[in-house]
Amino acid sequence: MKNFPICYLLLFFFCCGNKATAQQLPLSTTVDSARYYYYQGWENVMDLGHYTNSAIAFQKCVEKDPNFLIGQCLYGRISSDLAEQEVIYNLIESEKSSLEGAEYQLLEVFHSLLKLMILRQKDPSKTKDQLVYALKLGEKNFQQIVQQYPTEIYYKAEYIEMLNYNHGPAVALDSLAILATVKEQQNPFLLGYVAMMEASLGKFDSALEKAKQLEQHFEGKNVPKPYVVYADIYLKQGLTEKAKIYVEKALALDKGNIDAQRLKKQLEKK
């Protein structure tokens, strides 16, 4: 048992004890339009893979309510302007004690990831320690959040990402099978992320089948997400020319897609 992450020990409790819970995590903003753009920002970046539209949505969110710290932090994380990131980081540092509960836990994680982004640009020597800290904090906080608010799909997706980073795809896939309902597993982000994790494990046939399902989900819509997933799978499969084609398709739809940019850099090294 000692080799398993602590999160494993709580999964059974989560599944048995929280089925009736269907609350949405309370947010401190009272401005309906800020809340609307907040969730639109999440949908764009997670489900559609459209980072540019997500940045626009989060910017509108903070314009509607500048005091909404979670919105500010997420806008900072998707911004490409270092000076802007630092202003937002310092604002949150001075105001974060005004929040409490699950919203504070969210902010704590996003704030630590914003700091990581800033350090990568200003002092790369400190990024390793900050990355380890942010990922451990993220796993701990999101584990508690998804137990308390199991219908919050985007926070659940963030938790699965943390498990993958900290413990690898096998652990993350196992946890996802327990934490997510069959319907939730068809969420575009989770469907694509599962495909990429399966590809990491060498399960390419299954990964490509899920990528195809994702593509069919968006049939008739020009969104980057499926192309990024295909590119990731083909890169892991060693099919670099195919991967390049899908990276370029994704970037043609959103040149600001960070995942596609990352894949392109990896392909340039091949």
Side-chain angles (χ1 to χ4, degrees):
M1 292 292 290
K2 66 182 180 179
N3 293 325
F4 286 82
I6 294 173
C7 61
Y8 260 34
L9 304 180
L10 297 175
L11 292 179
F12 181 78
F13 168 78
F14 170 84
C15 293
C16 295
N18 288 281
K19 288 183 178 179
T21 304
Q23 289 177 283
Q24 194 172 45
L25 189 151
L27 297 171
S28 56
T29 183
T30 59
V31 180
D32 289 335
S33 55
R35 185 183 296 270
Y36 168 80
Y37 286 118
Y38 173 78
Y39 286 111
Q40 192 178 76
W42 275 104
E43 180 185 10
N44 272 290
V45 72
M46 300 290 273
D47 294 348
L48 307 181
H50 208 303
Y51 282 73
T52 301
N53 285 352
S54 181
I56 292 170
F58 284 128
Q59 183 176 28
K60 288 181 178 178
C61 171
V62 298
E63 286 173 353
K64 298 295 183 180
D65 186 357
N67 297 316
F68 182 32
L69 297 182
I70 292 282
Q72 287 277 10
C73 198
L74 288 173
Y75 176 60
R77 285 186 62 199
I78 210 164
S79 170
S80 58
D81 186 326
L82 175 59
E84 189 172 47
Q85 291 170 0
E86 291 185 301
V87 168
I88 292 171
Y89 180 85
N90 292 331
L91 168 68
I92 293 167
E93 182 68 25
S94 65
E95 300 292 334
K96 63 183 180 182
S97 61
S98 64
L99 298 185
E100 58 185 16
E103 188 177 15
Y104 177 81
Q105 289 181 302
L106 274 182
L107 184 64
E108 193 178 24
V109 177
F110 297 151
H111 197 217
S112 68
L113 291 169
L114 178 57
K115 182 177 181 179
L116 177 64
M117 290 180 66
I118 293 170
L119 287 175
R120 280 175 172 161
Q121 298 168 82
K122 293 189 67 176
D123 192 353
S125 66
K126 295 182 180 179
T127 57
K128 184 177 180 180
D129 288 344
Q130 182 63 23
L131 176 62
V132 171
Y133 170 78
L135 292 178
K136 286 183 178 179
L137 177 68
E139 180 180 340
K140 177 178 72 72
N141 285 11
F142 278 116
Q143 180 196 67
Q144 295 173 18
I145 288 167
V146 300
Q147 288 182 51
Q148 192 173 1
Y149 303 100
T151 59
E152 288 277 20
I153 189 67
Y154 295 128
Y155 307 147
K156 190 175 293 185
E158 289 276 306
Y159 179 48
I160 296 303
E161 283 192 277
M162 294 295 174
L163 290 179
N164 183 35
Y165 286 126
N166 290 337
H167 307 292
V171 168
L173 285 167
D174 189 65
S175 295
L176 179 61
I178 296 173
L179 291 172
T181 65
V182 173
K183 183 178 180 180
E184 286 176 335
Q185 290 178 36
Q186 295 304 305
N187 166 269
F189 174 82
L190 288 178
L191 186 61
Y193 199 62
V194 167
M196 292 188 290
M197 289 193 292
E198 287 184 338
S200 295
L201 295 170
K203 299 178 180 180
F204 297 115
D205 289 343
S206 179
L208 286 169
E209 178 58 34
K210 288 180 176 63
K212 185 177 180 180
Q213 291 176 34
L214 184 64
E215 183 180 24
Q216 291 171 342
H217 177 84
F218 289 116
E219 189 173 3
K221 300 178 181 179
N222 289 323
V223 299
K225 191 70 175 187
Y227 299 129
V228 172
V229 173
Y230 273 122
D232 183 272
I233 295 169
Y234 286 132
L235 176 58
K236 289 170 179 170
Q237 203 172 4
L239 302 174
T240 56
E241 292 306 314
K242 273 192 171 183
K244 288 177 183 177
I245 291 171
Y246 283 99
V247 163
E248 292 306 324
K249 286 183 177 182
L251 290 172
L253 293 171
D254 178 21
K255 65 180 181 180
N257 186 293
I258 294 173
D259 299 317
Q261 291 172 358
R262 172 180 51 80
L263 289 169
K264 185 173 183 177
K265 288 179 181 178
Q266 291 179 28
L267 285 163
E268 288 170 350
K269 296 176 182 178
K270 297 293 182 180

